[in-house]
Amino acid sequence: MNLQSFGKTGLSLPPIVFGSSAFGNLFHEYPLSLKKEILAEIFRQTAPYTVFDTAGKYGAGLALEVLGDFLQEQGIKKDEVIITNKLGWVRTELKGKEPTFEPGIWKGLQHDAVQKISYDGILECFEKDKALLRQNIPQLVSVHDPDEYLAGGKSKAGKEQRWQEILSAYKALEKLKSEGRIKGIGVGAKDWKTIRDIYQYIDLDYVMLANSLTLISHPPELMQFVENLRKNQVGIINAAVFQSGFLVGEDYFNYKLIDPNNLSDQAKINWRNQFFEVCRQYDVAPDHACIRFALRVPGISSVALSINNPFLVSKNMQAVKAELPRIFWDEMKNRKLIPDFAFL
C-alpha cells in the first residue's frame, strides 16, 4: 500500500483511515462479535499500516473501549497502529434510559458523555481516552467539532468565551506535543471555515475535513484553503466523503433528513440522479467515485471511511487503489456536475 508523508508529523499514512463510529453504535446497536470481525479484517488487510480515527464522543467512549480491548487481546504492538483521536467529550454515568448527548443517534449505550473543551478539560479527555484505549496513546490528537461548540454560544459574548476556551484547549495539546506524548496537533470539523479560523492562531500539523470536500460540495474558497494547507505541509484527511450517505443513495445529507419538498434538497436530489446515471453509463459504483475524487484532490493524504460490515473493508481497499476511467470524469464535467478540475 502506498504511504504518504503526513505533514510535519514524522508519520506516513496509507490512503485509507478507518473510522470507528460504528464501534460506538452510531444509529444501530452492533454486536461485539461483529465489531471484532471488522477489526480483524481491517488488520488482516492493512497490517502493518493500519490507521484508525476515533473519539470519546463515539458511543460515550464505547468505540475507544472496543478498539482498545481488541488491540490488547490480539497483542498488537503500539507501533503497529496509528490512532487519531478527537478530544472534547468524557464518559459519565448514564442516569436515564438514553444518553443526554445527541439523543437518538447512539444506540444501546451504558454510559452518557459530557463535553469538556478547556485547558484542563482536554487534558482530562486525553487521559480518560487513553485509559479506554488500554494505554494505547494516540499519535494524532485534535479538538472535536469546535464548530459545533462555537455555534452553541447563545450570544456574541458567549461565542467569544467559547472561542477562548477552544484556544485554551489547543494550549493543552501544545503541552502534550512539547512533552513528546503525541506526534501531531489537528482539528476535525464539519464547518471548514472554523478550521481556517483556528489555523490562523494555531500551528496545526493536520486537519480533518468532514462533510466539506466531496463530489457534490467543493466551494472554490475551500479548494484554495486546501491548496494553502498543502503548500504549508499540513496533513489533510478527508472524512464523510459520502455526505452522510446521501451520495450513495441514503436519505440524509450532512446528518439531516432530506425533504423532497424543499427546493434546496430538490436540487441535491436532481444532482444525485444525474450522478447515478453517469455511474450506470460507465459501470462505476457511486462510492468508488466519491472515494477517488476525495483522494485526487492535491494535498489530501487519506480518506476516513467508517466500516459497519467486514465485506466493506475489501471493497473500500479496492476503491482507494483503483483509478476510474478518464471518460467518467469527462462526462461528469460535461454535465456540469463538477467543475473542470485540473486534477481530474
Side-chain angles (χ1 to χ4, degrees):
M1 190 184 304
N2 292 330
L3 300 180
Q4 282 195 40
S5 177
F6 192 56
K8 295 170 283 188
T9 65
L11 300 172
S12 294
L13 263 61
I16 186 169
V17 170
F18 291 96
S20 60
S21 56
F23 302 154
N25 292 346
L26 179 66
F27 299 132
H28 301 281
E29 183 175 359
Y30 298 99
L32 180 58
S33 58
L34 176 63
K35 296 173 186 178
K36 289 185 176 182
E37 190 178 346
I38 293 169
L39 283 163
E41 184 63 14
I42 288 172
F43 275 97
R44 187 184 75 79
Q45 297 220 23
T46 64
Y49 307 115
T50 310
V51 186
F52 289 99
D53 174 63
T54 190
K57 187 179 186 180
Y58 295 167
L62 179 61
L64 295 164
E65 196 168 43
V66 169
L67 177 58
D69 286 347
F70 183 87
L71 296 175
Q72 187 177 69
E73 290 167 6
Q74 299 299 313
I76 295 170
K77 297 177 182 177
K78 292 180 173 59
D79 60 356
E80 293 178 347
V81 60
I82 292 174
I83 300 173
T84 78
N85 190 26
K86 301 184 290 287
L87 302 176
W89 294 80
V90 294
R91 173 180 283 187
T92 59
E93 179 185 357
L94 180 65
K95 297 181 178 179
K97 291 184 179 180
E98 291 191 24
T100 58
F101 80 105
E102 295 189 328
I105 300 296
W106 307 95
K107 305 297 183 180
L109 301 189
Q110 304 301 312
H111 298 89
D112 207 337
V114 62
Q115 194 169 34
K116 292 193 176 183
I117 293 183
S118 65
Y119 185 91
D120 291 334
I122 287 297
L123 293 178
E124 180 184 350
C125 290
F126 180 79
E127 294 299 333
K128 289 187 174 179
D129 285 3
K130 185 179 72 172
L132 290 172
L133 284 167
R134 303 299 180 250
Q135 302 307 310
N136 285 276
I137 301 176
Q139 296 92 331
L140 303 170
V141 179
S142 64
V143 175
H144 199 178
D145 290 337
D147 49 342
E148 294 182 358
Y149 188 67
L150 280 172
K154 302 303 181 184
S155 63
K156 183 177 180 180
K159 291 182 186 297
E160 176 58 27
Q161 179 180 340
R162 289 189 172 220
W163 174 249
Q164 293 303 321
E165 288 167 349
I166 289 169
L167 295 181
S168 179
Y170 274 100
K171 293 298 181 184
L173 295 187
E174 289 173 345
K175 169 183 166 63
L176 293 173
K177 184 180 177 182
S178 69
E179 293 173 348
R181 302 178 69 186
I182 60 175
K183 294 285 188 180
I185 298 170
V187 58
K190 301 178 185 69
D191 184 350
W192 70 270
K193 292 180 180 178
T194 300
I195 295 176
R196 184 177 61 184
D197 291 342
I198 291 172
Y199 183 53
Q200 293 177 5
Y201 290 86
I202 304 298
D203 185 17
L204 296 173
D205 298 300
Y206 73 98
V207 305
M208 179 175 285
L209 303 169
N211 279 314
S212 298
L213 181 50
T214 69
L215 201 51
I216 194 175
S217 176
H218 36 256
E221 61 268 34
L222 170 57
M223 301 303 288
Q224 183 58 57
F225 177 57
V226 167
E227 175 60 13
N228 291 341
L229 292 174
R230 184 191 69 81
K231 289 179 177 177
N232 291 324
Q233 295 183 289
V234 178
I236 309 171
I237 298 173
N238 202 355
V241 297
F242 305 139
Q243 213 79 58
S244 302
F246 178 78
L247 296 180
V248 291
E250 297 181 13
D251 297 327
Y252 285 82
F253 187 98
N254 286 2
Y255 304 103
K256 295 180 181 179
L257 188 65
I258 284 286
D259 179 3
N261 298 315
N262 178 280
L263 289 178
S264 177
D265 286 355
Q266 287 174 9
K268 294 182 180 72
I269 292 170
N270 179 59
W271 187 99
R272 184 175 68 179
N273 288 341
Q274 293 191 64
F275 167 53
F276 284 178
E277 190 176 311
V278 178
C279 286
R280 286 191 295 269
Q281 182 177 349
Y282 295 101
D283 194 25
V284 169
D287 59 327
H288 192 174
C290 293
I291 291 169
R292 288 309 314 168
F293 175 83
L295 282 171
R296 290 195 65 132
V297 177
I300 303 296
S301 301
S302 311
V303 290
L305 301 172
S306 292
I307 305 290
N308 61 6
N309 195 300
F311 90 88
L312 290 174
V313 179
S314 290
K315 185 179 181 183
N316 288 339
M317 290 288 290
Q318 283 299 114
V320 301
K321 295 176 183 177
E323 290 282 2
L324 294 180
R326 176 64 180 270
I327 194 170
F328 170 81
W329 298 119
D330 288 344
E331 183 64 15
M332 290 287 287
K333 295 174 186 178
N334 289 339
R335 294 194 183 209
K336 308 299 182 184
L337 296 175
I338 56 174
D340 189 14
F341 289 121
F343 55 82
L344 292 179

